[in-house]
Amino acid sequence: MQLLKRLFLLALMTAIPMLASAQETLNLFNWTDYMNPKIIKQFEAKYHVKVVQTYYNSNAQLLAKLMAGGDSQYDVVVPSNYMIERMAKTGLLMKLDKSELPNFKNLAPQFQNPSYDPHDAYAIPYQWGTTNLAYDTRKIKNPPKTWGALFNPKVNPSYPFALMGGSGQDTFQAACAYLG
């Protein structure tokens, strides 16, 4: 029995350095080309963690993967704002423990308690932006200052409707804004 204990202690002492040097892994599910690789490297160095990113190209692809059992594979996911409410309702997101988020107090008030996540229960904003409209000045000489540049056939007779990139959500919202 003493020999068995000594062998176990020897094996444990041999394994301790390997366990101490083992890096934890953070599994991140993110938009393709969404985060500068330098940010990931800085995060890894600062927090001594290996970040493994898996990418998706649309919120639909994100949701399908998570609903097919992928929710247990990721520590952090980066959906668009409107997807957060859907994911929370289907149980795909855990509530945040704000005691573990000391910088939450630095979040500007305009980004707190959004309609899709009241009380900031499931998400913290990473980026903020707007959808913009660009046009070719050679083809559209005097564009309207409305979404009519896309949807009004008098303004845009060759292409009365243009689908913007992404999941279609932006196009749908733009069409609703155009229609009032």
Side-chain angles (χ1 to χ4, degrees):
M1 186 58 94
Q2 288 293 341
L3 179 61
L4 190 56
K5 284 182 183 178
R6 286 186 181 144
L7 286 174
F8 176 74
L9 284 173
L10 180 61
L12 185 60
M13 289 171 59
T14 305
I16 287 175
M18 290 188 297
L19 292 172
S21 67
Q23 255 186 335
E24 288 192 45
T25 301
L26 176 74
N27 294 296
L28 174 63
F29 199 23
N30 202 358
W31 291 91
T32 304
D33 297 325
Y34 203 58
M35 191 172 293
N36 186 325
K38 289 179 184 177
I39 293 173
I40 298 295
K41 293 210 179 301
Q42 290 170 347
F43 184 89
E44 288 175 329
K46 184 173 181 174
Y47 295 102
H48 310 290
V49 65
K50 174 71 180 153
V51 176
V52 176
Q53 282 196 87
T54 305
Y55 302 101
Y56 61 90
N57 294 312
S58 70
N59 280 302
Q61 185 182 23
L62 160 86
L63 189 60
K65 173 110 184 200
L66 295 178
M67 291 190 76
D71 58 323
S72 63
Q73 297 175 22
Y74 304 105
D75 302 304
V76 177
V77 296
V78 187
S80 295
N81 58 356
Y82 67 89
M83 190 57 70
I84 293 166
E85 183 176 19
R86 295 175 193 177
M87 293 170 65
K89 284 182 180 177
T90 58
L92 293 172
L93 299 176
M94 291 175 44
K95 286 193 173 189
L96 296 173
D97 179 355
K98 291 190 196 111
S99 70
E100 296 290 327
L101 301 168
N103 284 320
F104 180 79
K105 65 181 183 258
N106 298 321
L107 185 61
Q110 73 225 45
F111 300 117
Q112 295 179 21
N113 300 308
S115 61
Y116 57 84
D117 185 22
H119 313 294
D120 302 302
Y122 296 99
I124 299 296
Y126 164 61
Q127 291 184 354
W128 175 82
T130 60
T131 300
N132 293 295
L133 181 63
Y135 60 92
D136 186 341
T137 57
R138 295 170 297 185
K139 295 186 179 186
I140 302 176
K141 298 297 180 195
N142 296 310
K145 296 184 187 316
T146 72
W147 288 106
L150 284 181
F151 304 110
N152 187 337
K154 291 178 184 172
V155 175
N156 192 356
S158 300
Y159 304 98
F161 182 83
L163 184 62
M164 296 180 276
S167 66
Q169 185 82 12
D170 290 331
T171 303
F172 182 74
Q173 291 172 344
C176 288
Y178 171 69
L179 295 171

